[in-house]
mmCIF file of all heavy atoms in Angstrom:
data_model
loop_
_atom_site.group_PDB
_atom_site.id
_atom_site.type_symbol
_atom_site.label_atom_id
_atom_site.label_comp_id
_atom_site.label_asym_id
_atom_site.label_seq_id
_atom_site.Cartn_x
_atom_site.Cartn_y
_atom_site.Cartn_z
ATOM 1 N N LEU A 232 -7.515 10.051 0.465
ATOM 2 C CA LEU A 232 -8.457 11.146 0.268
ATOM 3 C C LEU A 232 -8.529 12.032 1.517
ATOM 4 O O LEU A 232 -8.297 11.568 2.627
ATOM 5 C CB LEU A 232 -9.842 10.591 -0.060
ATOM 6 C CG LEU A 232 -10.015 10.043 -1.477
ATOM 7 C CD1 LEU A 232 -11.268 9.190 -1.568
ATOM 8 C CD2 LEU A 232 -10.077 11.191 -2.496
ATOM 9 N N PRO A 233 -8.852 13.312 1.341
ATOM 10 C CA PRO A 233 -8.864 14.236 2.484
ATOM 11 C C PRO A 233 -9.832 13.803 3.583
ATOM 12 O O PRO A 233 -10.916 13.287 3.319
ATOM 13 C CB PRO A 233 -9.321 15.556 1.855
ATOM 14 C CG PRO A 233 -8.985 15.436 0.404
ATOM 15 C CD PRO A 233 -9.162 13.990 0.067
ATOM 16 N N CYS A 234 -9.421 14.013 4.817
ATOM 17 C CA CYS A 234 -10.293 13.799 5.971
ATOM 18 C C CYS A 234 -9.806 14.703 7.089
ATOM 19 O O CYS A 234 -8.661 15.159 7.092
ATOM 20 C CB CYS A 234 -10.287 12.328 6.408
ATOM 21 S SG CYS A 234 -8.680 11.726 6.995
ATOM 22 N N LYS A 235 -10.689 14.963 8.034
ATOM 23 C CA LYS A 235 -10.332 15.798 9.180
ATOM 24 C C LYS A 235 -10.007 14.919 10.379
ATOM 25 O O LYS A 235 -10.567 13.842 10.543
ATOM 26 C CB LYS A 235 -11.476 16.747 9.527
ATOM 27 C CG LYS A 235 -11.699 17.829 8.487
ATOM 28 C CD LYS A 235 -12.750 18.827 8.934
ATOM 29 C CE LYS A 235 -12.901 19.962 7.931
ATOM 30 N NZ LYS A 235 -13.902 20.951 8.391
ATOM 31 N N ARG A 236 -9.124 15.397 11.195
ATOM 32 C CA ARG A 236 -8.774 14.661 12.403
ATOM 33 C C ARG A 236 -9.923 14.718 13.393
ATOM 34 O O ARG A 236 -10.548 15.766 13.591
ATOM 35 C CB ARG A 236 -7.513 15.248 13.037
ATOM 36 C CG ARG A 236 -7.063 14.495 14.285
ATOM 37 C CD ARG A 236 -5.716 14.977 14.757
ATOM 38 N NE ARG A 236 -5.237 14.165 15.863
ATOM 39 C CZ ARG A 236 -4.036 14.278 16.417
ATOM 40 N NH1 ARG A 236 -3.194 15.185 15.957
ATOM 41 N NH2 ARG A 236 -3.663 13.502 17.404
ATOM 42 N N VAL A 237 -10.234 13.565 13.984
ATOM 43 C CA VAL A 237 -11.262 13.497 15.022
ATOM 44 C C VAL A 237 -10.556 13.354 16.359
ATOM 45 O O VAL A 237 -9.807 12.401 16.591
ATOM 46 C CB VAL A 237 -12.220 12.303 14.798
ATOM 47 C CG1 VAL A 237 -13.233 12.230 15.931
ATOM 48 C CG2 VAL A 237 -12.928 12.441 13.462
ATOM 49 N N LYS A 238 -10.791 14.322 17.251
ATOM 50 C CA LYS A 238 -10.150 14.319 18.563
ATOM 51 C C LYS A 238 -11.182 14.707 19.606
ATOM 52 O O LYS A 238 -11.775 15.779 19.544
ATOM 53 C CB LYS A 238 -8.970 15.293 18.588
ATOM 54 C CG LYS A 238 -8.077 15.157 19.802
ATOM 55 C CD LYS A 238 -6.852 16.045 19.646
ATOM 56 C CE LYS A 238 -5.895 15.870 20.819
ATOM 57 N NZ LYS A 238 -4.692 16.727 20.667
ATOM 58 N N LYS A 239 -11.416 13.780 20.539
ATOM 59 C CA LYS A 239 -12.424 13.993 21.585
ATOM 60 C C LYS A 239 -13.775 14.327 20.962
ATOM 61 O O LYS A 239 -14.463 15.259 21.361
ATOM 62 C CB LYS A 239 -11.982 15.095 22.539
ATOM 63 C CG LYS A 239 -10.744 14.746 23.345
ATOM 64 C CD LYS A 239 -10.371 15.853 24.297
ATOM 65 C CE LYS A 239 -9.129 15.471 25.109
ATOM 66 N NZ LYS A 239 -8.718 16.544 26.046
ATOM 67 N N GLU A 240 -14.137 13.521 19.950
ATOM 68 C CA GLU A 240 -15.429 13.583 19.280
ATOM 69 C C GLU A 240 -15.623 14.862 18.468
ATOM 70 O O GLU A 240 -16.706 15.157 17.980
ATOM 71 C CB GLU A 240 -16.583 13.429 20.277
ATOM 72 C CG GLU A 240 -16.508 12.146 21.097
ATOM 73 C CD GLU A 240 -17.639 12.045 22.100
ATOM 74 O OE1 GLU A 240 -18.638 12.769 21.926
ATOM 75 O OE2 GLU A 240 -17.521 11.252 23.046
ATOM 76 N N GLU A 241 -14.575 15.662 18.274
ATOM 77 C CA GLU A 241 -14.696 16.891 17.515
ATOM 78 C C GLU A 241 -13.758 16.837 16.308
ATOM 79 O O GLU A 241 -12.643 16.338 16.403
ATOM 80 C CB GLU A 241 -14.335 18.106 18.381
ATOM 81 C CG GLU A 241 -15.293 18.335 19.554
ATOM 82 C CD GLU A 241 -14.906 19.563 20.348
ATOM 83 O OE1 GLU A 241 -13.884 20.196 19.990
ATOM 84 O OE2 GLU A 241 -15.611 19.888 21.317
ATOM 85 N N GLU A 242 -14.229 17.386 15.191
ATOM 86 C CA GLU A 242 -13.394 17.480 14.006
ATOM 87 C C GLU A 242 -12.466 18.679 14.139
ATOM 88 O O GLU A 242 -12.853 19.739 14.620
ATOM 89 C CB GLU A 242 -14.250 17.658 12.751
ATOM 90 C CG GLU A 242 -15.151 16.486 12.433
ATOM 91 C CD GLU A 242 -16.019 16.807 11.236
ATOM 92 O OE1 GLU A 242 -15.493 17.388 10.275
ATOM 93 O OE2 GLU A 242 -17.212 16.493 11.289
ATOM 94 N N THR A 243 -11.231 18.509 13.710
ATOM 95 C CA THR A 243 -10.286 19.619 13.724
ATOM 96 C C THR A 243 -9.837 19.904 12.301
ATOM 97 O O THR A 243 -10.643 19.875 11.388
ATOM 98 C CB THR A 243 -9.095 19.281 14.647
ATOM 99 O OG1 THR A 243 -8.493 18.057 14.200
ATOM 100 C CG2 THR A 243 -9.558 19.116 16.088
ATOM 101 N N THR A 244 -8.576 20.162 12.087
ATOM 102 C CA THR A 244 -8.086 20.513 10.757
ATOM 103 C C THR A 244 -7.948 19.282 9.863
ATOM 104 O O THR A 244 -7.938 18.148 10.329
ATOM 105 C CB THR A 244 -6.713 21.198 10.878
ATOM 106 O OG1 THR A 244 -5.838 20.314 11.581
ATOM 107 C CG2 THR A 244 -6.840 22.499 11.652
ATOM 108 N N VAL A 245 -7.819 19.540 8.557
ATOM 109 C CA VAL A 245 -7.613 18.455 7.598
ATOM 110 C C VAL A 245 -6.263 17.801 7.867
ATOM 111 O O VAL A 245 -5.250 18.477 8.041
ATOM 112 C CB VAL A 245 -7.670 18.986 6.152
ATOM 113 C CG1 VAL A 245 -7.306 17.883 5.163
ATOM 114 C CG2 VAL A 245 -9.055 19.538 5.845
ATOM 115 N N LEU A 246 -6.258 16.483 7.915
ATOM 116 C CA LEU A 246 -5.034 15.738 8.187
ATOM 117 C C LEU A 246 -4.131 15.717 6.959
ATOM 118 O O LEU A 246 -4.577 15.384 5.857
ATOM 119 C CB LEU A 246 -5.370 14.303 8.576
ATOM 120 C CG LEU A 246 -5.611 14.007 10.056
ATOM 121 C CD1 LEU A 246 -6.171 12.590 10.211
ATOM 122 C CD2 LEU A 246 -4.333 14.158 10.853
ATOM 123 N N GLY A 247 -2.880 16.043 7.146
ATOM 124 C CA GLY A 247 -1.913 15.886 6.080
ATOM 125 C C GLY A 247 -1.402 14.454 6.055
ATOM 126 O O GLY A 247 -1.286 13.811 7.105
ATOM 127 N N LEU A 248 -1.096 13.934 4.882
ATOM 128 C CA LEU A 248 -0.617 12.554 4.805
ATOM 129 C C LEU A 248 0.747 12.389 5.473
ATOM 130 O O LEU A 248 1.081 11.302 5.946
ATOM 131 C CB LEU A 248 -0.545 12.113 3.341
ATOM 132 C CG LEU A 248 -1.908 11.933 2.656
ATOM 133 C CD1 LEU A 248 -1.715 11.552 1.206
ATOM 134 C CD2 LEU A 248 -2.744 10.889 3.365
ATOM 135 N N ASP A 249 1.519 13.470 5.529
ATOM 136 C CA ASP A 249 2.774 13.395 6.263
ATOM 137 C C ASP A 249 2.528 13.182 7.755
ATOM 138 O O ASP A 249 3.275 12.446 8.422
ATOM 139 C CB ASP A 249 3.611 14.646 6.025
ATOM 140 C CG ASP A 249 2.841 15.941 6.282
ATOM 141 O OD1 ASP A 249 1.594 15.902 6.324
ATOM 142 O OD2 ASP A 249 3.486 16.997 6.438
ATOM 143 N N GLN A 250 1.458 13.785 8.291
ATOM 144 C CA GLN A 250 1.102 13.559 9.695
ATOM 145 C C GLN A 250 0.724 12.098 9.934
ATOM 146 O O GLN A 250 1.070 11.522 10.969
ATOM 147 C CB GLN A 250 -0.068 14.461 10.091
ATOM 148 C CG GLN A 250 0.225 15.945 10.078
ATOM 149 C CD GLN A 250 -1.018 16.758 10.344
ATOM 150 O OE1 GLN A 250 -1.833 16.995 9.454
ATOM 151 N NE2 GLN A 250 -1.182 17.184 11.575
ATOM 152 N N VAL A 251 0.020 11.517 8.977
ATOM 153 C CA VAL A 251 -0.398 10.122 9.101
ATOM 154 C C VAL A 251 0.821 9.202 9.129
ATOM 155 O O VAL A 251 0.926 8.304 9.965
ATOM 156 C CB VAL A 251 -1.343 9.739 7.945
ATOM 157 C CG1 VAL A 251 -1.653 8.247 7.978
ATOM 158 C CG2 VAL A 251 -2.626 10.557 8.003
ATOM 159 N N VAL A 252 1.755 9.428 8.203
ATOM 160 C CA VAL A 252 2.949 8.584 8.139
ATOM 161 C C VAL A 252 3.769 8.719 9.417
ATOM 162 O O VAL A 252 4.242 7.719 9.979
ATOM 163 C CB VAL A 252 3.805 8.945 6.905
ATOM 164 C CG1 VAL A 252 5.112 8.154 6.906
ATOM 165 C CG2 VAL A 252 3.029 8.681 5.622
ATOM 166 N N GLU A 253 3.932 9.921 9.896
ATOM 167 C CA GLU A 253 4.712 10.142 11.119
ATOM 168 C C GLU A 253 4.063 9.462 12.323
ATOM 169 O O GLU A 253 4.748 8.965 13.216
ATOM 170 C CB GLU A 253 4.879 11.629 11.362
ATOM 171 C CG GLU A 253 5.844 12.289 10.373
ATOM 172 C CD GLU A 253 5.813 13.798 10.441
ATOM 173 O OE1 GLU A 253 4.924 14.345 11.128
ATOM 174 O OE2 GLU A 253 6.684 14.440 9.810
ATOM 175 N N HIS A 254 2.735 9.429 12.347
ATOM 176 C CA HIS A 254 2.032 8.739 13.430
ATOM 177 C C HIS A 254 2.219 7.227 13.344
ATOM 178 O O HIS A 254 2.471 6.562 14.352
ATOM 179 C CB HIS A 254 0.538 9.067 13.380
ATOM 180 C CG HIS A 254 -0.307 8.163 14.228
ATOM 181 N ND1 HIS A 254 -0.461 8.327 15.586
ATOM 182 C CD2 HIS A 254 -1.029 7.047 13.908
ATOM 183 C CE1 HIS A 254 -1.226 7.367 16.071
ATOM 184 N NE2 HIS A 254 -1.587 6.585 15.075
ATOM 185 N N LEU A 255 2.120 6.691 12.135
ATOM 186 C CA LEU A 255 2.166 5.242 11.957
ATOM 187 C C LEU A 255 3.563 4.666 12.132
ATOM 188 O O LEU A 255 3.707 3.487 12.485
ATOM 189 C CB LEU A 255 1.640 4.864 10.568
ATOM 190 C CG LEU A 255 0.125 4.973 10.381
ATOM 191 C CD1 LEU A 255 -0.232 4.862 8.905
ATOM 192 C CD2 LEU A 255 -0.597 3.897 11.181
ATOM 193 N N VAL A 256 4.579 5.463 11.893
ATOM 194 C CA VAL A 256 5.957 4.968 11.976
ATOM 195 C C VAL A 256 6.699 5.738 13.071
ATOM 196 O O VAL A 256 7.454 6.680 12.790
ATOM 197 C CB VAL A 256 6.682 5.102 10.621
ATOM 198 C CG1 VAL A 256 8.061 4.458 10.676
ATOM 199 C CG2 VAL A 256 5.862 4.475 9.507
ATOM 200 N N PRO A 257 6.487 5.362 14.330
ATOM 201 C CA PRO A 257 7.115 6.087 15.434
ATOM 202 C C PRO A 257 8.588 5.742 15.629
ATOM 203 O O PRO A 257 9.287 6.410 16.377
ATOM 204 C CB PRO A 257 6.292 5.649 16.655
ATOM 205 C CG PRO A 257 5.816 4.279 16.297
ATOM 206 C CD PRO A 257 5.569 4.305 14.812
ATOM 207 N N HIS A 258 9.044 4.659 14.959
ATOM 208 C CA HIS A 258 10.431 4.216 15.107
ATOM 209 C C HIS A 258 10.908 3.668 13.769
ATOM 210 O O HIS A 258 10.168 2.941 13.089
ATOM 211 C CB HIS A 258 10.519 3.127 16.188
ATOM 212 C CG HIS A 258 11.914 2.802 16.603
ATOM 213 N ND1 HIS A 258 12.762 2.031 15.825
ATOM 214 C CD2 HIS A 258 12.627 3.146 17.710
ATOM 215 C CE1 HIS A 258 13.928 1.915 16.432
ATOM 216 N NE2 HIS A 258 13.883 2.570 17.569
#
Side-chain angles (χ1 to χ4, degrees):
L232 285 164
C234 64
K235 291 186 176 182
R236 182 172 186 174
V237 177
K238 192 173 183 180
K239 295 182 179 179
E240 304 178 18
E241 295 181 358
E242 296 176 42
T243 57
T244 56
V245 174
L246 271 170
L248 290 178
D249 52 343
Q250 295 174 279
V251 173
V252 175
E253 288 169 351
H254 166 81
L255 286 168
V256 186
H258 191 284

